Amino acid sequence: MQHPPPVTHQPRRAAAAAFIGTAIEWYDFYIYATAAALVFGELFFPSTDPFISTMASFGTFAVGFFARPLGGVIFGHLGDKIGRKKALMTTLVMMGVATVGVGLMPTQLSTPWVAPALLIVLRIVQGISAGGEWGGAVLMAGEHAPAGRRMFYASFAQLGSPAGMLLSLLAFRAVTSLDHADFMAWGWRVPFLASALLLVVGIFIRISVGESPEFEREKQRQRTVKLPIAEVFRTARGLVLLCIGANTLGIAGVYFTNTFMISYTTQYFGVPRSLILDCLFVVAVIQFLVQPLAAYCAEKIGTARFLKLTALAAMTTPYPMFLLVQSGDRVSLIIGIALAVVCLASFYSVIAGFMTDVFPTHVRYSAISLSYHVCAAIAGGLTPLAATWLAHRFTGQWWPLALFFSGLAVLSLVCVVALDAMKSRRGITFEAVSTP
């Protein structure tokens, strides 16, 4: 009979599992985003006007975001009732199956109407899975953390985002080296089919991690509630709204720089697809290196102070970014996009741990999942669409896009300031108003 691993190993094991599991989940989510920017418009929504095809393609991309709050509610409930681990195993399998399904499906050219409908269904499954994944991964890492290290350990789940981006860019960079006909015929499918291998790796790793010790203690104390999401709505609607706003920069910003900028640079500045993917790969490496450093710095100077400073810095970055990007050369593209990504990635790495301190264990999965994924549905799903519309409406002018990005940072800053004030005034705010 095999014995469970020593308890002292569990914090590191949980952090590693959160990182690898979310990297796989976000790989699946990001390859869809990349394909939506590069090929889905032509394959599934062909039109004589590239703007119409791109908008339709980004529309299916947005559908996945609108499904994420549903996933957050479903798996938040399961995670708060039966455990974080079981919920996370289910979300991983769902995402892998849906992603492989996209790689196997026919295109609009062979099955008009059926293919776009199937694409939307599979995207909804992806969205539900992602909606359940994030909150559980953050909590499994954070709730296993040693005393006083919750924020840093929770940041490992956030680190899965740039890792997934790196994997997705590597996968698409490999297939974009094919000639156009082969890429459009079968090459784009390879990154989706490769998810089957990653799924096996993710399941193997997550099996080795025990259940959250904080959840187990709450279960023994019988502090679970019948319907966690109802408890959240009853006692913390205002806090949830502030958390939704606080997440805006980290969520919307990444889809602005890593999804919209692909179509923007290729359509308006004639940047080759391979070049922008190479540039985004370098930026993703920078993001991957910056996030753990940002989490460490936040522990030293205070999480709320760090979030405020990074949001303020992010407000200024889109202006030099667009001045550099419009040149179209490799170095300027990397520097310009990296300026914005360093700020939003630093913010993103810390915001998860900041939120987990707001809510108590017995409803925490439901509360943070709802907050994060409602924001994802609105800010993440609509950002590429809104930015695409602005680029089309103000052709040749980048300042409306820069103002739009600054507005995302302002919203997050205001909400972080409000949350910090409430926490300072009443301690862990939700605990102060929730039932014992």
Side-chain angles (χ1 to χ4, degrees):
M1 178 178 176
Q2 291 185 339
H3 296 284
V7 175
T8 54
H9 293 172
Q10 283 293 293
R12 285 175 292 176
R13 194 182 292 266
F19 163 63
I20 294 171
T22 51
I24 294 169
E25 285 266 349
W26 290 123
Y27 165 81
D28 290 351
F29 214 71
Y30 283 140
I31 57 173
Y32 190 102
T34 305
L38 291 178
V39 299
F40 282 172
E42 183 176 343
L43 289 175
F44 294 99
F45 308 98
S47 170
T48 55
D49 187 348
F51 170 71
I52 299 298
S53 295
T54 302
M55 288 293 283
S57 179
F58 279 152
T60 67
F61 175 70
V63 164
F65 283 92
F66 298 144
R68 281 167 65 170
L70 176 61
V73 170
I74 293 171
F75 287 100
H77 175 83
L78 294 174
D80 283 329
K81 294 287 287 184
I82 67 174
R84 285 48 164 140
K85 181 175 178 176
K86 292 177 182 177
L88 284 174
M89 294 297 291
T90 305
T91 61
L92 189 63
V93 172
M94 284 178 60
M95 179 65 85
V97 170
T99 303
V100 172
V102 172
L104 294 173
M105 65 179 296
T107 65
Q108 196 271 352
L109 297 177
S110 57
T111 55
W113 302 111
V114 175
L118 284 174
L119 187 67
I120 291 171
V121 170
L122 291 172
R123 182 59 176 167
I124 290 172
V125 175
Q126 276 195 329
I128 292 173
S129 171
E133 167 70 21
W134 178 84
V138 168
L139 295 183
M140 281 291 279
E143 291 177 354
H144 273 93
R149 305 301 309 279
R150 183 196 298 275
M151 194 280 302
F152 181 74
Y153 274 71
S155 73
F156 279 85
Q158 302 292 72
L159 195 59
S161 177
M165 172 61 71
L166 286 170
L167 289 174
S168 71
L169 289 171
L170 282 173
F172 263 96
R173 184 64 184 90
V175 295
T176 51
S177 62
L178 299 168
D179 65 70
H180 182 72
D182 287 340
F183 175 66
M184 298 301 289
W186 59 267
W188 67 270
R189 299 179 185 273
V190 175
F192 290 90
L193 299 178
S195 180
L197 296 175
L198 296 176
L199 174 61
V200 174
V201 173
I203 291 173
F204 176 77
I205 291 169
R206 282 198 166 159
I207 285 175
S208 67
V209 181
E211 181 56 84
S212 157
E214 290 190 28
F215 172 81
E216 293 287 13
R217 285 195 294 270
E218 292 295 299
K219 188 176 180 180
Q220 290 173 4
R221 292 158 58 187
Q222 297 183 333
R223 286 200 66 189
T224 58
V225 295
K226 184 176 181 180
L227 195 60
I229 194 66
E231 179 79 357
V232 172
F233 278 116
R234 185 179 69 83
T235 58
R237 290 186 297 273
L239 288 175
V240 168
L241 287 174
L242 288 175
C243 286
I244 290 170
N247 275 287
T248 300
L249 174 60
I251 295 173
V254 73
Y255 290 104
F256 187 99
T257 58
N258 294 338
T259 301
F260 164 71
M261 291 300 284
I262 295 175
S263 62
Y264 180 70
T265 54
T266 54
Q267 289 185 23
Y268 290 91
F269 300 115
V271 175
R273 287 181 300 188
S274 59
L275 175 57
I276 186 61
L277 290 178
D278 284 347
C279 293
L280 288 177
F281 178 81
V282 175
V283 172
V285 172
I286 295 170
Q287 180 181 353
F288 184 82
L289 297 174
V290 163
Q291 284 194 197
L293 179 62
Y296 177 80
C297 291
E299 280 195 338
K300 296 299 181 183
I301 71 171
T303 304
R305 180 182 299 175
F306 184 85
L307 288 171
K308 294 171 189 176
L309 290 173
T310 52
L312 280 169
M315 291 168 55
T316 68
T317 57
Y319 307 96
M321 177 178 71
F322 279 105
L323 287 172
L324 289 165
V325 162
Q326 65 184 351
S327 70
D329 73 88
R330 185 185 302 268
V331 174
S332 296
L333 283 166
I334 292 171
I335 294 174
I337 298 174
L339 286 173
V341 167
V342 165
C343 293
L344 67 89
S346 297
F347 185 94
Y348 180 76
S349 70
V350 176
I351 189 65
F354 180 76
M355 278 202 305
T356 58
D357 279 341
V358 177
F359 302 101
T361 306
H362 62 288
V363 294
R364 188 177 287 154
Y365 199 147
S366 297
I368 69 169
S369 294
L370 180 68
S371 302
Y372 183 88
H373 292 297
V374 168
C375 178
I378 299 170
L382 295 181
T383 289
L385 285 169
T388 299
W389 181 85
L390 285 171
H392 181 72
R393 173 66 178 80
F394 299 96
T395 302
Q397 301 180 64
W398 55 263
W399 61 266
L401 291 165
L403 287 175
F404 175 64
F405 190 96
S406 293
L408 301 176
V410 170
L411 176 58
S412 287
L413 174 62
V414 170
C415 291
V416 167
V417 169
L419 281 169
D420 185 44
M422 294 175 71
K423 289 175 71 174
S424 298
R425 189 166 60 249
R426 298 192 299 183
I428 303 302
T429 312
F430 193 115
E431 295 281 16
V433 298
S434 63
T435 55

